[in-house]
Amino acid sequence: MMKLDYTTIKTPAYLYNLDVLRQTLKVLKTEAEHYAYHIHYALKANNNEKILEEIADAGLGADCVSGNEIKEALKRGFRAEAIAFAGVGKTDEEINFALDQGIFSFNCESLPEIEVINELASKKNTKASIALRINPNVDANTHKYITTGIEENKFGINLWEIDSILDRMDNMKNVELNGLHFHIGSQITDLDTFKNLCNRINQIQEKFYARQIIVNHINVGGGLGIEYYDPDNELIPDFKSYFKIFHDFLELRPKQQLHFELGRSIVGQMGSLLSKVIYVKKGSVKDFLIIDAAMTDLIRPALYQAYHKIENLSSQSTQAVKYDVVGPVCESSDIFAKSLALPSSKRGDYILIRSVGAYGQVMASNYNMRDAAQVVFIE
Ligand code: LLP
């Protein structure tokens, strides 16, 4: 994957490949510009400052889920007018801060939230630009922890609530309904799922149209998945086919803008986690490769049973051996892979865990008082 003398790097280390990031941004921009689509980068996927600066430089907007993410986005060069603010639990302090910045949109998830935004905006004698985050009840067919668009989830406004919320909003002078927002989940690899979303949005738009409401923008959230099994085969996600689905199936009204909030597909493949084998431990059924990275550095396998490709960079062996690849943390779930066939490995070998640029470093903890993995940029 990369020509790099990894033996000089203190492990565990997140390696961020800036060439991959830049190429991804280039393709993303070209494909989005083709349809004049607007892209907001979801900071939650990776908030490393250099990565944010690269993405802001490329001209993308930002999708934030906390006041601190908004502050960071502004600091790294994202424009306030291109910041969307999502989340089911925005606090008064966060709302006030976002109001002062004049952000693009508060993506609102409940009536009580809209009421508070209206009240706080009124105190400031201003008008908040809002979008209703609607739960379209479309199944994303992904892991249950990252499915958000079905009714049992905490996210969004349910379809049956829309009318009563719009009735209430008629009396609110300090919120302006500018958009409709949808986000059904993450790591979606079956593009038909987005087709279902488009069809549902078309129906929902009819409902608003019947009340003579045409919003300025539709925001379809993020969710485009990446290739975890064979990353080198698709380092850059297929943005072309993804956008074409929306172009072909979403019925935008004249002058209505389409916005996206992509995280994983922008930064996922540019990151790898470099680690070293501390011990090879004999087990009764198979051996354990105990490496110096742990669930504290990358929690996805432990939390979602997520698959990440793992490579041994040092072994020259042609003999394949099955290992459980585990970290040193005192939790049985601190496992990166079970029964994984790798070339025969030994203490000191370098192990590379692929596709960790999104939801890797940002979800790290210092459980067991472990040090944070360092970050190394590759160009
Ligand atoms: N917009 C909203 C409202 C979201 O909640 C998310 C992600 C995104 C955009 C960006 O979605 P993406 O393009 O990255 O799929 N930690 C999990 C993923 C959680 C996703 C949360 N929301 C994981 O490691 O798989």
Side-chain angles (χ1 to χ4, degrees):
M1 175 197 164
M2 54 193 76
K3 313 232 173 337
L4 165 82
D5 182 10
Y6 46 81
T7 59
T8 59
I9 297 174
K10 184 179 177 308
T11 55
Y14 272 97
L15 312 183
Y16 292 147
N17 187 324
L18 294 175
D19 292 331
V20 172
L21 175 65
R22 288 173 191 148
Q23 281 169 34
T24 306
L25 286 167
K26 200 170 151 200
V27 174
L28 170 69
K29 281 186 64 179
T30 308
E31 299 302 338
E33 275 164 16
H34 186 65
Y35 300 112
Y37 290 165
H38 300 258
I39 315 293
H40 303 256
Y41 167 64
L43 264 79
K44 65 169 86 66
N46 188 317
N47 58 29
N48 174 279
E49 58 180 67
K50 188 154 178 52
I51 302 295
L52 292 183
E53 281 166 4
E54 289 277 340
I55 298 172
D57 275 358
L60 272 64
D63 163 40
C64 300
V65 287
S66 68
N68 286 344
E69 279 194 358
I70 298 177
K71 279 181 201 151
E72 188 63 22
L74 293 169
K75 197 162 149 195
R76 300 298 156 210
F78 290 93
R79 291 166 304 121
E81 317 84 74
I83 294 181
F85 183 17
V88 292
K90 302 177 187 74
T91 65
D92 294 18
E93 199 184 338
E94 291 175 316
I95 292 167
N96 275 325
F97 176 72
L99 282 172
D100 291 341
Q101 309 309 313
I103 61 165
F104 164 66
S105 175
F106 289 83
N107 294 342
C108 299
E109 310 227 8
S110 66
L111 178 62
E113 177 191 334
I114 301 168
E115 286 171 340
V116 169
I117 293 176
N118 184 54
E119 187 188 315
L120 296 175
S122 137
K123 281 189 190 143
K124 288 181 183 291
N125 222 348
T126 179
K127 228 172 182 181
S129 162
I130 72 165
L132 298 184
R133 175 173 181 175
I134 293 169
N135 183 341
N137 209 9
V138 171
D139 196 342
N141 298 311
T142 183
H143 190 279
K144 63 175 192 270
Y145 286 3
I146 50 177
T147 292
T148 51
I150 52 176
E151 274 201 15
E152 66 192 59
N153 296 125
K154 69 177 175 183
F155 299 100
I157 292 164
N158 288 314
L159 296 172
W160 46 266
E161 294 174 287
I162 294 176
D163 275 317
S164 64
I165 290 183
L166 289 176
D167 290 343
R168 294 290 292 276
M169 282 177 61
D170 282 343
N171 303 318
M172 297 188 197
K173 301 279 165 278
N174 297 83
V175 289
E176 187 172 314
L177 179 60
N178 280 328
L180 298 181
H181 174 254
F182 306 85
H183 172 80
I184 54 174
S186 197
Q187 185 49 23
I188 297 169
T189 48
D190 178 0
L191 291 184
D192 276 349
T193 304
F194 293 112
K195 210 191 275 184
N196 297 340
L197 173 64
C198 291
N199 291 334
R200 185 56 62 91
I201 296 175
N202 294 341
Q203 292 167 359
I204 295 170
Q205 284 241 77
E206 287 298 324
K207 211 175 158 64
F208 282 81
Y209 200 54
R211 294 186 66 129
Q212 273 116 46
I213 299 174
I214 299 180
V215 292
N216 299 334
H217 77 265
I218 300 291
N219 180 340
V220 290
L224 176 62
I226 62 169
E227 173 55 61
Y228 280 105
Y229 288 87
D230 188 6
D232 291 318
N233 196 34
E234 198 185 89
L235 273 185
I236 301 178
D238 186 1
F239 294 115
K240 194 189 184 88
S241 307
Y242 172 65
F243 290 138
K244 190 169 187 308
I245 294 271
F246 292 91
H247 175 258
D248 289 350
F249 295 96
L250 188 64
E251 292 161 16
L252 290 176
R253 309 280 175 194
K255 290 199 188 145
Q256 211 168 38
Q257 291 182 347
L258 185 57
H259 290 243
F260 294 80
E261 301 168 341
L262 296 170
R264 188 189 318 261
S265 52
I266 298 177
V267 292
Q269 298 290 33
M270 59 107 204
S272 300
L273 181 58
L274 182 71
S275 177
K276 230 157 113 174
V277 177
I278 313 177
Y279 301 113
V280 182
K281 178 178 170 177
K282 288 267 165 243
S284 52
V285 203
K286 63 208 150 181
D287 294 349
F288 295 97
L289 271 195
I290 303 173
I291 64 175
D292 63 4
M295 64 190 289
T296 50
D297 305 300
L298 175 70
I299 202 176
R300 302 193 71 257
L303 191 58
Y304 317 113
Q305 296 76 48
Y307 178 90
H308 285 267
K309 188 174 183 201
I310 298 179
E311 299 163 357
N312 183 325
L313 301 178
S314 324
S315 178
Q316 305 293 334
S317 171
T318 48
Q319 188 202 350
V321 181
K322 282 196 171 165
Y323 297 103
D324 277 7
V325 182
V326 304
V329 163
C330 301
E331 290 280 339
S332 302
S333 59
D334 188 17
I335 298 176
F336 290 111
K338 277 194 163 172
S339 295
L340 178 73
L342 282 174
S344 175
S345 306
K346 58 184 188 312
R347 171 175 163 83
D349 279 359
Y350 283 87
I351 300 291
L352 196 65
I353 307 180
R354 302 286 307 274
S355 315
V356 300
Y359 309 110
Q361 201 192 354
V362 283
M363 293 179 81
S365 75
N366 68 347
Y367 183 43
N368 285 198
M369 287 187 79
R370 283 176 53 86
D371 289 329
Q374 62 156 337
V375 174
V376 175
F377 293 98
I378 301 164
E379 296 197 51

